[in-house]
């Protein structure tokens, strides 16, 4: 069956085919039937059973982030201290687990150094950033940047995310604390601090996620989400504000670059009357929104994006996405009833 016939003959619902509801009227889908979500060239078949495990043996709590390592394995971060890290193969089969020391496990970033995989974990309850090997050996622990003069004590430092440069420098986003971005060299020595809480262009309300954007090889920049403001901000590597990209209605988590596109989990719809109102958001290489799986079709009027909101009650606080080499998307969720990731297969 070709793709067009599949889309029409499968018993499915596409968000782009729905009459746009009010915020409180998101569609409840039939879990026994195939569901296709997304818009334009980015449409996906939903797999709710991917990665489901025996919860008594391998429990999860808040599944904050999910990445793919150099071996192609899917690595999930949860703040359940029986197994903070869960490693799957791409079929959803369990490979291994580790980690019992990260009660506030939130950010997970892969760093490849001389062919070896390392992980940067941010823990907002420990007020620390921890660098480990791929199998969990701690190689660096970073406390709050006391010498910066931006913090009175460690309690004000609640890091949510990191991003790593090719030379080993890394940046820490303090999304739940004082909203500063701290830049370190590979040894963990502080080089710069910028940002802070506020509504100015170079400030943040919830500097939740950060990533290095190298799509323009000659001009790498930092992408930093100001989640409560529904804005993605661009900064130079020196911490200078460059520009903002508004995503009205979308509380975006960290930006994830795959090929020449940016993917986001959207925690919830800003205008929704219910809390579990999240969806996904995908930007093209021009930073234009082209698909919102689980939400309204992105529409631009006079070069401004119309407000986005959930249309299908599928996601419960989606918090991060991982995209594999086949363009399939794995979605980790916070506060979702201790559920495992959802897989979206690109069609």
């Amino acid at each position: 069956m070709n793709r067009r016939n599949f889309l029409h003959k499968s018993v499915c619902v596409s968000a782009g085919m729905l009459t746009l509801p009010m915020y409180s009227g998101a569609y409840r889908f039939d879990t026994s039937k195939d569901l296709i979500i997304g818009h334009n060239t980015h449409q996906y078949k939903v797999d709710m059973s991917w990665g489901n495990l025996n919860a008594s043996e391998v429990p999860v709590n808040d599944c904050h982030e999910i990445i793919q390592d150099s071996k192609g394995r899917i690595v999930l971060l949860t703040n359940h201290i029986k197994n903070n890290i869960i490693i799957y193969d791409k079929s959803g089969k369990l490979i291994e687990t580790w980690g019992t020391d990260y009660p506030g496990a939130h950010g997970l970033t892969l760093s490849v150094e001389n062919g070896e995989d390392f992980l940067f974990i941010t823990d907002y309850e420990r007020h620390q950033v921890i660098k480990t090997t791929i199998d969990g050996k701690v190689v660096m622990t970073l406390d709050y940047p006391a010498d910066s003069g931006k913090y009175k004590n460690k309690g004000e430092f609640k890091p949510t995310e990191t991003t790593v440069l090719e030379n080993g420098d890394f940046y820490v986003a303090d999304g739940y604390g004082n909203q500063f971005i701290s830049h370190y060299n590979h040894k963990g020595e502080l080089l710069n601090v910028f940002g802070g809480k506020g509504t100015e262009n170079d400030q943040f309300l919830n500097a939740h996620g950060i990533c290095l954007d190298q799509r323009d090889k000659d001009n790498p920049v930092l992408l930093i989400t100001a989640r409560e403001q529904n804005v993605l901000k661009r900064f130079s590597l020196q911490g200078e504000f460059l520009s903002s990209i508004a995503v009205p209605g979308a509380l975006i988590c960290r930006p994830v670059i795959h090929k020449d596109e940016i993917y986001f989990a959207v925690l919830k719809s800003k205008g929704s009357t219910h809390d579990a109102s999240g969806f996904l958001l995908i930007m093209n290489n021009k930073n234009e929104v082209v698909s919102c799986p689980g939400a309204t079709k992105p529409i631009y009027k006079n070069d401004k994006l119309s407000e986005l909101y959930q249309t299908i009650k599928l996601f419960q606080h989606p918090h991060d996405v991982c995209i594999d080499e086949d363009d399939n998307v794995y979605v980790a969720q916070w506060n979702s009833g201790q559920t495992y990731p959802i897989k979206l297969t690109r069609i």
Side-chain angles (χ1 to χ4, degrees):
M1 182 181 296
N2 64 34
R3 180 177 180 273
R4 177 172 294 178
N5 287 338
F6 174 81
L7 287 172
H8 283 285
K9 293 185 178 181
S10 293
V11 183
C12 66
V13 176
S14 170
M17 297 164 57
L18 293 173
T19 299
L20 302 185
M22 298 300 289
Y23 292 117
S24 61
Y27 178 83
R28 292 188 181 277
F29 66 97
D30 186 340
T31 56
S32 68
K33 300 175 182 178
D34 287 340
L35 177 66
I36 308 297
I37 60 175
H39 309 96
N40 302 314
T41 58
H42 291 69
Q43 298 187 41
Y44 304 86
K45 181 178 178 180
V46 178
D47 183 353
M48 301 287 289
S49 63
W50 186 91
N52 289 345
L53 302 171
N54 184 335
S56 64
E57 296 179 0
V58 189
V60 295
N61 190 25
D62 297 323
C63 297
H64 276 128
E65 298 210 334
I66 188 167
I67 64 167
Q68 188 174 30
D69 71 7
S70 295
K71 295 180 179 179
R73 306 181 304 174
I74 306 300
V75 183
L76 174 68
L77 180 71
T78 169
N79 60 19
H80 200 297
I81 56 173
K82 183 175 180 178
N83 37 237
N84 288 120
I85 292 288
I86 300 173
I87 301 179
Y88 297 95
D89 67 16
K90 288 199 301 179
S91 73
K93 179 181 178 181
L94 177 66
I95 297 177
E96 63 177 301
T97 67
W98 57 262
T100 59
D101 299 319
Y102 308 108
H106 187 281
L108 184 68
T109 302
L110 178 72
S111 176
V112 182
E113 304 172 17
N114 298 317
E116 183 178 357
D117 283 2
F118 293 88
L119 299 174
F120 281 79
I121 298 171
T122 63
D123 190 311
Y124 57 78
E125 289 196 15
R126 287 177 47 171
H127 313 285
Q128 290 178 325
V129 178
I130 305 95
K131 181 181 179 181
T132 76
T133 61
I134 195 64
D135 56 0
K137 179 182 177 181
V138 175
V139 297
M140 180 193 298
T141 300
L142 193 70
D143 293 316
Y144 78 103
D147 294 342
S148 69
K150 306 296 186 182
Y151 296 86
K152 297 177 182 178
N153 53 61
K154 72 175 185 179
E156 293 184 341
F157 182 62
K158 299 178 181 180
T160 51
E161 193 62 74
T162 61
T163 194
V164 185
L165 306 188
E166 291 183 356
N167 67 358
D169 282 15
F170 59 97
Y171 297 78
V172 179
D174 182 23
Y176 291 161
N178 287 1
Q179 311 294 311
F180 288 102
I181 310 299
S182 301
H183 178 193
Y184 298 86
N185 67 17
H186 72 283
K187 296 179 182 179
E189 298 169 337
L190 186 65
L191 302 177
N192 188 25
V193 177
F194 61 94
K197 186 175 182 179
T199 57
E200 299 298 323
N201 284 336
D202 60 350
Q203 296 177 317
F204 305 94
L205 293 181
N206 194 190
H208 189 270
I210 183 172
C211 82
L212 175 67
D213 182 358
Q214 300 185 92
R215 292 175 297 170
D216 181 350
K217 298 296 184 181
D218 297 326
N219 186 32
V221 298
L222 298 171
L223 302 181
I224 307 172
T225 54
R227 192 169 70 178
E228 294 300 321
Q229 295 168 288
N230 305 164
V231 170
L232 176 66
K233 298 190 176 187
R234 300 173 65 252
F235 284 79
S236 72
L237 300 187
Q238 292 72 42
E240 301 163 333
F241 172 79
L242 300 175
S243 63
S244 290
I245 304 163
V247 283
L251 275 72
I252 48 176
C253 296
R254 84 158 152 183
V256 177
I257 295 179
H258 175 69
K259 298 179 180 177
D260 61 351
E261 299 169 323
I262 316 174
Y263 292 69
F264 303 83
V266 177
L267 187 74
K268 60 182 180 179
S269 308
K270 185 173 184 179
S272 177
T273 56
H274 65 284
D275 204 32
S277 56
F279 52 93
L280 307 186
L281 187 151
I282 303 167
M283 292 181 180
N284 63 15
N285 60 354
K286 298 179 181 179
N287 299 333
E288 299 165 333
V289 181
V290 294
S291 183
C292 292
T296 47
K297 184 176 182 179
I299 298 173
Y300 284 86
K301 296 180 180 179
N302 299 321
D303 295 326
K304 291 186 178 180
L305 181 64
S306 298
E307 184 167 351
L308 303 166
Y309 55 90
Q310 184 191 68
T311 54
I312 300 175
K313 292 189 177 182
L314 168 62
F315 298 113
Q316 301 179 68
H317 304 108
H319 196 275
D320 193 33
V321 292
C322 169
I323 304 91
D324 68 20
E325 58 272 21
D326 298 316
D327 297 339
N328 302 316
V329 180
Y330 305 82
V331 184
Q333 301 190 112
W334 167 80
N335 191 22
S336 61
Q338 300 179 337
T339 59
Y340 297 92
I342 296 172
K343 180 179 180 180
L344 305 181
T345 301
R346 183 80 174 265
I347 59 172

